[in-house]
Amino acid sequence: METTRFDEVLLPFINALDEAEAERQLSRLLTEHAEPTVARIIRYKAGGTRPLSRRADELTKAEDVRGEVMLHLVVRLRNIRADYSARPIADFNAYVAAAAYNAYDRHVSRLYPQRRRLKNGLRYLLTRRSGFALWQTADGAWVGGFEHWRPGARVEATNATGGADVSAFGGLQRLREDPRAFARGASEERLWHDRKHAYELLSAIFEWAGVPVELDLLTGVVADWWNVTDEEVELDAGRDDGGPVQVASGHPAATVEVESRMYLKRLWDEIVELPPRQRAALLLNLRDEGGRGIVDLWIIVGVVTPEALAEALSLEARAFAELWKELPLDDNRIAARLGLTRQQVINLRKSARERLARRVKAF
């Protein structure tokens, strides 16, 4: 077996000669490497996404996240050992961190659907409004800020897994403790409370902080300013009395939103497996029933980044940013870009849709 693609810390488990030794090595991986990272991220996230008075309660609720992540890791590692062709994990600590961030995000989605919608709205603004940017740190955390703050221009935001020290970013810590710490004047406060001025609010937060702000923290600050609240969703899988599951009234069940996001993730995974021309014919023309372009749907729900979309279309990020404003393209323009006839573009898109229909039918 070729194991050079795997993190060295995984090799004793992967190469164990018997199942007893494999289980010992798996236990070592979980207790020495995974659990400390997962616990640290959960404490960090739970401490910065809810009001100070609610953080102890949030930490208690988030304990389920730890179990979810650990179960995911056990299944993933055992699958690797059982199937040597499985996708490798080159950096186990980074993989654990990303799994913890994703699990906590799902946790928030289940409990706080309105907060999740606000987060998606901020994600959309950060990716679509000139001057703003949204990107992912090495450990999987999403951060937002001014466009010139992207990695390479300025230091990335702090993270919970060994990046910059939290104490080096006093402004971010103050925001966690007081979402209104950045306020500078009564006139600005009145302006920021109006949701029509989201750009001004985010600009004020970034200017005050001076560094990128993690998306969850940013969501918490904006939620406080705009009084976005949720009736918490109580999910009890063990109930057998037929009692209703409570959700925030007037909105879809959080589980539906989570399942929809999972579906979009699986759909995207299938799209990137399409041949390049089929992929381009599909994505460049993708639209809703009203004829509006929806290729950015995956960005809005946090499944992919703008850079990933650009890569899927074999475009540089800057070129995609310019093209994005014109989407969806008609078949003649797509044909001109691909050096094909209009009918060939139609045929490619038809083939892409048929293949996707077959692949997604199972899920």
Side-chain angles (χ1 to χ4, degrees):
M1 172 186 178
E2 176 58 53
T3 57
T4 57
R5 300 172 299 164
F6 288 88
D7 190 327
E8 289 186 1
V9 74
L10 300 176
L11 298 185
F13 166 72
I14 294 173
N15 295 328
L17 297 179
D18 56 60
E19 290 308 309
E21 176 61 18
E23 288 302 308
R24 283 193 292 271
Q25 293 298 332
L26 177 61
S27 177
R28 177 186 61 84
L29 285 170
L30 296 177
T31 57
E32 296 181 10
H33 295 272
E35 284 191 345
T37 296
V38 173
R40 185 162 60 249
I41 289 175
I42 291 173
R43 287 195 304 270
Y44 174 78
K45 300 286 282 184
T49 61
R50 303 301 290 169
L52 185 61
S53 61
R54 298 283 300 282
R55 288 181 190 171
D57 185 46
E58 179 65 19
L59 282 167
T60 300
K61 289 186 174 69
E63 179 60 23
D64 288 342
V65 177
R66 187 193 69 81
E68 180 182 338
V69 176
M70 300 309 290
L71 177 60
H72 166 78
L73 293 174
V74 169
V75 172
R76 179 78 168 89
L77 291 171
R78 284 178 174 163
N79 284 344
I80 287 176
R81 179 170 166 79
D83 180 5
Y84 290 168
S85 65
R87 182 164 50 91
I89 298 176
D91 186 333
F92 184 61
N93 286 334
Y95 182 86
V96 170
Y101 277 115
N102 290 336
Y104 192 86
D105 191 53
R106 292 191 295 271
H107 161 77
V108 172
S109 297
R110 291 192 296 264
L111 292 183
Y112 311 111
Q114 292 189 48
R115 188 182 183 86
R116 176 64 183 179
R117 278 186 286 275
L118 172 61
K119 184 176 179 180
N120 286 341
L122 294 177
R123 187 187 297 274
Y124 184 84
L125 180 63
L126 289 168
T127 56
R128 294 300 294 269
R129 187 64 185 265
S130 176
F132 286 158
L134 179 72
W135 65 94
Q136 207 167 11
T137 62
D139 62 11
W142 287 96
V143 296
F146 292 122
E147 193 168 9
H148 62 272
W149 284 357
R150 281 183 179 275
R154 288 190 57 151
V155 64
E156 293 187 8
T158 182
N159 62 71
T161 59
D165 187 352
V166 173
S167 63
F169 296 92
L172 295 182
Q173 186 59 37
R174 287 183 62 192
L175 278 179
R176 292 187 185 96
E177 296 168 355
D178 178 10
R180 299 171 184 252
F182 69 96
R184 294 191 297 270
S187 61
E188 287 181 324
E189 286 188 24
R190 285 195 296 271
L191 176 68
W192 297 334
H193 280 296
D194 186 342
R195 299 191 187 193
K196 296 180 181 178
H197 296 282
Y199 176 83
E200 288 80 1
L201 175 59
L202 295 191
S203 294
I205 295 171
F206 295 148
E207 288 172 2
W208 183 86
V211 292
V213 180
E214 192 171 11
L215 184 57
D216 280 334
L217 174 58
L218 188 63
T219 302
V221 173
V222 176
D224 183 271
W225 276 87
W226 289 351
N227 295 316
V228 174
T229 59
D230 265 303
E231 293 178 28
E232 294 175 16
V233 180
E234 298 297 333
L235 300 176
D236 186 354
R239 294 180 62 178
D240 57 4
D241 58 3
V245 177
Q246 297 181 355
V247 299
S249 60
H251 296 284
T255 51
V256 174
E257 294 185 1
V258 173
E259 288 170 0
S260 297
R261 187 174 184 273
M262 292 171 61
Y263 177 86
L264 287 172
K265 175 62 171 67
R266 291 288 301 274
L267 181 60
W268 178 257
D269 289 343
E270 295 296 339
I271 287 174
V272 296
E273 293 298 322
L274 292 170
R277 286 184 171 181
Q278 285 188 14
R279 208 162 52 221
L282 178 73
L283 292 175
L284 292 176
N285 183 257
L286 204 60
R287 62 186 73 208
D288 62 16
E289 291 146 344
R292 295 178 295 270
I294 56 170
V295 73
D296 54 0
L297 176 63
W298 285 278
I299 296 175
I300 297 171
V301 300
V303 169
V304 301
T305 64
E307 291 79 9
L309 263 172
E311 183 179 355
L313 291 166
S314 302
L315 293 172
E316 296 292 334
R318 186 177 297 277
F320 175 64
E322 291 300 318
L323 182 64
W324 196 350
K325 306 170 187 176
E326 304 175 36
L327 296 179
L329 302 184
D330 61 40
D331 289 335
N332 288 326
R333 290 193 59 187
I334 297 174
R337 293 187 64 88
L338 300 180
L340 301 171
T341 66
R342 179 176 179 274
Q343 189 57 51
Q344 285 175 318
V345 169
I346 293 172
N347 292 342
L348 285 170
R349 186 165 55 250
K350 182 173 182 288
S351 297
R353 286 174 173 168
E354 289 174 349
R355 172 171 167 170
L356 290 176
R358 291 193 301 270
R359 295 293 185 90
V360 303
K361 185 177 181 180
F363 61 90

